[in-house]
Amino acid sequence: MQFTDQASRSRLNREFHSRPPIPLHGSAMVTHVACLRDQGQDERERGHFQVLASALGASIEQPAPELAILYSDKRCVRWERHTEFSSYTFFHMEITDAAPFWQQAPMAGVPAGWLDNLPGEMLVACCIEMRRQAVDDEAALISQFAGDGRQMVVSRAVDGAAWIAADFLFGGDSPWGDAFSRFVLINDGMTPRQAGRTVQRLIEIETYRLFALLGLPVARELGQWIRGAESTLADLTGRIEAANGLKDEHAVLNTLSALSAEVERIHATTGFRFGASEAYHALVRQRIGELREERVPGFPTFSEFMERRLTPPMATCQSMRARLKQLSSGLARSSALLRARVDVGLEQQNQALLQQMNQRNKLQFQLQETVEGLSVIAMTYYGSQLVHHMAAGMEAKGWHVSPEVAAAVAVPLIAGMLYWRLRVQRTRLHRALVKGD
């Protein structure tokens, strides 16, 4: 059977299958770094990843344009490019199970100079220490990775086949003082693919947690501006009520328009960040739900910890976004109200102007009628004088015509003809004005 495939069908399906979790068969140390991307740094990232492959003596596989993997002896490194960040995940398959928890080096075997020159700004750095062991004594296990008094998040997951512990601390807040937050994952019966998926979920929880929090500084800074803008809007609303005349109304309208433009600018610059934070938060909650947690007495679960620590910042972002939208709506309503008042004032001015124009037209018409009457009298006078001179000439030739009588008879005839002619012209002009010609 022959079909005409849509142009992007195969590419979309390869993208769908391009990022499967890497199966983990035994103990492993998984380290993940995510850096904010700048425009135009794709080639730099590819070149930097090639430098790592050369240093490790490994070849690169690229199953998708946004994904590359290199394999070396007991080590795998995965580079992924996302919408606003690029990530590097290091799988080190040889770790010592006998060593104490939290003590494994996060980036063992990776050239330090290569890490120093990572493109972009690093936001996420975490390591997951996965041990494969059967848990016979739960209390002893918990005391191993949560016995130093630190506030820990501990839960059983994957239907009881895994134990997970984390403190979500790094830098100066962490006991180790480095850039990495740490997780411990105990594999107590997971299959290799389950272990790979669980590690991937923990990586995504940590990554999306921090990227969701990128909206919080924006929300805090925006909150100060919104408070001032809301106060300004309240003041402008009062000035609308107290406005006396078009001059005051135009001044208020100009201020409202400037504030509306500033609100739209801020909405355009913060909309993506708030929308992204909301999407990342939803992904964090989804990935935690996929862990299928069970409570460990005395410790909060990942779900409870995130609801208590991550939900309030996200609520702040949502609140700022809603307040900005309400501010925009309030400005729009105030502007519409003021424009209506300005329009009513302009209509009143136009009506008064039209009345004045009508009054002037009436006066001009009356003046024109007066002038026309005077013109008829003057033309009648001159016409009668012409008739008088004609009759005087005829009388001098022997015709029995009295100049005075001829002039007297000609006066009403001339006046009537002139009046009729002016009336006809006035009627035609009126019809032309009515028709709009």
Side-chain angles (χ1 to χ4, degrees):
M1 298 176 67
Q2 298 295 325
F3 297 101
T4 301
D5 283 353
Q6 202 271 345
S8 58
R9 179 172 182 258
S10 297
R11 180 177 60 82
L12 292 174
N13 196 54
R14 285 195 298 271
E15 177 68 22
F16 180 76
H17 293 285
S18 65
R19 291 174 174 143
I22 294 178
L24 299 174
H25 296 271
S27 299
M29 172 67 74
V30 181
T31 306
H32 178 79
V33 177
C35 299
L36 289 165
R37 298 176 62 239
D38 296 326
Q39 291 184 352
Q41 76 175 31
D42 293 351
E43 293 303 320
R44 183 184 171 195
E45 289 179 357
R46 294 180 189 277
H48 197 63
F49 196 63
Q50 185 64 53
V51 169
L52 178 63
S54 300
L56 298 178
S59 60
I60 296 178
E61 297 180 5
Q62 190 165 1
E66 310 296 326
L67 172 67
I69 305 175
L70 64 82
Y71 296 94
S72 64
D73 186 28
K74 298 297 183 180
R75 183 178 283 110
C76 170
V77 184
R78 181 170 177 157
W79 167 67
E80 297 182 65
R81 187 169 58 201
H82 301 265
T83 302
E84 61 175 331
F85 67 92
S86 294
S87 64
Y88 305 84
T89 308
F90 303 81
F91 297 86
H92 186 200
M93 307 305 179
E94 290 184 349
I95 66 171
T96 303
D97 288 343
F101 289 113
W102 314 106
Q103 302 302 317
Q104 301 282 351
M107 302 293 286
V110 178
W114 185 85
L115 289 173
D116 294 338
N117 297 316
L118 271 177
E121 297 179 343
M122 189 269 289
L123 179 64
V124 181
C126 67
C127 62
I128 302 171
E129 184 178 342
M130 190 183 80
R131 304 281 186 95
R132 186 176 182 85
Q133 67 182 67
V135 179
D136 298 324
D137 188 346
E138 297 181 1
L141 175 68
I142 293 174
S143 66
Q144 291 181 46
F145 55 66
D148 58 357
R150 282 182 296 135
Q151 182 177 359
M152 301 287 295
V153 180
V154 181
S155 68
R156 298 192 67 179
V158 196
D159 300 324
W163 292 74
I164 308 173
D167 58 6
F168 294 99
L169 298 176
F170 56 82
D173 300 325
S174 169
W176 300 276
D178 57 21
F180 295 91
S181 59
R182 286 168 166 79
F183 295 79
V184 167
L185 172 61
I186 305 299
N187 184 352
D188 186 19
M190 292 187 293
T191 66
R193 292 193 177 277
Q194 281 182 318
R197 286 195 296 269
T198 303
V199 167
Q200 186 67 27
R201 286 166 185 152
L202 294 177
I203 287 173
E204 292 175 348
I205 288 170
E206 178 68 356
T207 301
Y208 297 145
R209 172 183 76 92
L210 288 172
F211 273 91
L213 288 170
L214 281 177
L216 182 59
V218 178
R220 287 174 174 170
E221 182 178 356
L222 180 60
Q224 298 178 2
W225 184 88
I226 287 181
R227 283 192 291 271
E230 290 171 340
S231 176
T232 302
L233 177 58
D235 178 66
L236 290 174
T237 304
R239 288 174 59 186
I240 291 175
E241 298 177 356
N244 185 15
L246 286 175
K247 184 177 180 180
D248 293 343
E249 292 172 350
H250 276 105
V252 177
L253 185 58
N254 290 335
T255 306
L256 279 173
S257 299
L259 185 57
S260 297
E262 181 68 9
V263 168
E264 293 305 316
R265 185 192 66 80
I266 292 176
H267 183 75
T269 55
T270 61
F272 169 77
R273 186 73 271 152
F274 287 151
S277 293
E278 185 176 349
Y280 288 132
H281 184 214
L283 288 172
V284 170
R285 301 178 72 174
Q286 180 185 17
R287 296 300 186 267
I288 291 176
E290 292 170 354
L291 291 177
R292 305 192 299 278
E293 293 182 282
E294 298 176 11
R295 174 182 292 279
V296 174
F299 297 93
T301 63
F302 282 80
S303 177
E304 293 171 344
F305 185 79
M306 290 299 174
E307 286 297 319
R308 186 170 65 250
R309 299 293 182 88
L310 186 59
T311 299
M314 295 302 99
T316 300
C317 294
Q318 293 172 0
S319 174
M320 291 301 107
R321 195 177 188 183
R323 287 177 64 184
L324 188 63
K325 185 176 180 180
Q326 291 174 354
L327 178 62
S328 178
S329 300
L331 285 168
R333 290 192 298 268
S334 297
S335 297
L337 174 62
L338 186 54
R339 286 192 181 95
R341 288 190 57 173
V342 170
D343 291 341
V344 170
L346 289 175
E347 289 179 359
Q348 292 175 347
Q349 283 191 350
N350 292 335
Q351 186 176 4
L353 182 60
L354 289 175
Q355 291 177 351
Q356 292 177 0
M357 292 176 63
N358 289 335
Q359 186 66 26
R360 291 193 187 98
N361 290 335
K362 289 180 180 179
L363 293 175
Q364 290 177 356
F365 185 72
Q366 294 175 356
L367 180 60
Q368 182 180 353
E369 287 182 338
T370 303
V371 172
E372 288 176 354
L374 295 175
S375 299
V376 169
I377 294 173
M379 293 174 69
T380 301
Y381 172 76
Y382 288 114
S384 65
Q385 291 300 309
L386 291 175
V387 172
H388 183 275
H389 288 301
M390 290 174 61
M394 295 171 65
E395 184 182 22
K397 292 293 184 179
W399 292 49
H400 297 287
V401 178
S402 174
E404 290 77 7
V405 174
V409 173
V411 167
L413 294 176
I414 294 172
M417 291 177 63
L418 290 173
Y419 178 78
W420 174 80
R421 182 60 183 172
L422 289 174
R423 186 62 180 267
V424 170
Q425 289 181 346
R426 190 183 302 166
T427 303
R428 289 178 179 175
L429 179 60
H430 178 72
R431 289 176 180 175
L433 291 175
V434 171
K435 293 181 179 180
D437 297 339

